Amino acid sequence: QEILKAKVNIHDEMNKLMLSTMEADYNDVSALDDIFKLWQKNALLLFLETDEENKKALDNIKDLAKALKINFSVQTIPDFFDENQKCLLFSTALEALANATKHAKAKQMTVTFSVLNDEIWCNFTNDGIMPSKEIAFSGGLKNLVHLSKEQNAKIDVKVDNLFTLSLIFPTKNSSKE
C-alpha cells in the first residue's frame, strides 16, 4: 500500500512538473535551469524499478521533448543495461535535452546505441546551433561526468555538422579485466 501511495505521489509530481514545463518562458534561462533540475530529481525516482516504469520514464522524457518543441527519437534501449546504467542514461537524456534547448535551440534529438571497441556508446545528437567555443563541462555536464565516473563510464562531445553528447560505458567483458 505504501509503495502504491509513493508511486501515485511521484506521478502527481511529474504531472505538475509537466504543466510547469509547458508554461515556462523558454527565454528565461534561470527558470529553465530550475525546471530541468526538478525533472532530473523526479526522473531518478522513476527509473529505479521495473521495465514498465522505465517505459513510463522514457515516455515522460518524450513528453518533455514535445513540450520543448523538440522532435525526440530513440532507438530501442538495449536489454544489457542494468538499472543504474538506465538511470544514468535517462539523466543524460534530460541534460542533453536541457542543453539542446537552452544553448542550441535544437528542433531534433536522436538517441542511438552502438558497441565499438569494448564500449557501449549512447549518442544524443541534436540539430541545433553549433557552439562557437569549446564546451565547458560545468553545471549539469559536470554532474554527469561525476555520475559517469561512478559507473566506470565517461562523457564525450563531438561537434561537426551536428552536436553529439555521448555517454560511453565499458562492456561487461572489458570492465572485468
Side-chain angles (χ1 to χ4, degrees):
Q1 195 67 9
E2 287 178 31
I3 292 171
L4 179 59
K5 193 174 189 177
K7 287 181 180 183
V8 167
N9 220 7
I10 291 168
H11 287 281
D12 287 347
E13 289 299 314
M14 292 299 288
N15 287 336
K16 289 177 191 173
L17 189 52
M18 293 270 302
L19 291 172
S20 297
T21 301
M22 293 171 74
E23 294 177 5
D25 176 2
Y26 297 116
N27 295 318
D28 184 347
V29 175
S30 176
L32 287 177
D33 278 341
D34 291 342
I35 288 171
F36 283 114
K37 284 176 189 169
L38 289 171
W39 267 103
Q40 193 166 26
K41 177 186 162 205
N42 283 299
L44 293 175
L45 296 173
L46 288 176
F47 302 146
L48 298 176
E49 290 192 27
T50 66
D51 288 340
E52 182 61 29
E53 287 182 358
N54 286 327
K55 182 189 176 314
K56 287 179 186 175
L58 186 56
D59 288 344
N60 285 334
I61 291 171
K62 288 177 182 178
D63 289 344
L64 173 61
K66 185 176 180 181
L68 296 172
K69 298 177 176 60
I70 294 180
N71 184 17
F72 183 84
S73 61
V74 59
Q75 286 181 333
T76 301
I77 298 174
D79 292 335
F80 50 74
F81 287 124
D82 64 30
E83 290 305 312
N84 289 329
Q85 290 172 321
K86 285 179 187 174
C87 187
L88 182 57
L89 175 71
F90 294 137
S91 294
T92 304
L94 290 171
E95 183 64 27
L97 275 173
N99 290 336
T101 300
K102 288 191 301 189
H103 304 297
K105 305 200 182 348
K107 298 296 177 205
Q108 172 74 35
M109 177 170 288
T110 305
V111 183
T112 59
F113 305 95
S114 59
V115 178
L116 178 66
N117 299 329
D118 289 330
E119 295 177 321
I120 304 162
W121 286 69
C122 312
N123 295 312
F124 302 82
T125 303
N126 76 64
D127 67 346
I129 300 165
M130 292 301 110
S132 58
K133 56 186 177 183
E134 188 173 329
I135 305 301
F137 282 81
S138 59
L141 282 178
K142 184 177 179 180
N143 292 338
L144 277 180
V145 168
H146 176 72
L147 292 171
S148 298
K149 285 181 181 177
E150 290 177 358
Q151 293 193 40
N152 198 25
K154 55 189 173 185
I155 298 289
D156 191 30
V157 295
K158 179 181 176 187
V159 179
D160 50 25
N161 60 334
L162 297 171
F163 180 89
T164 302
L165 173 69
S166 298
L167 171 61
I168 308 158
F169 292 103
T171 60
K172 300 290 186 217
N173 295 338
S174 66
S175 62
K176 291 179 182 175
E177 294 175 0

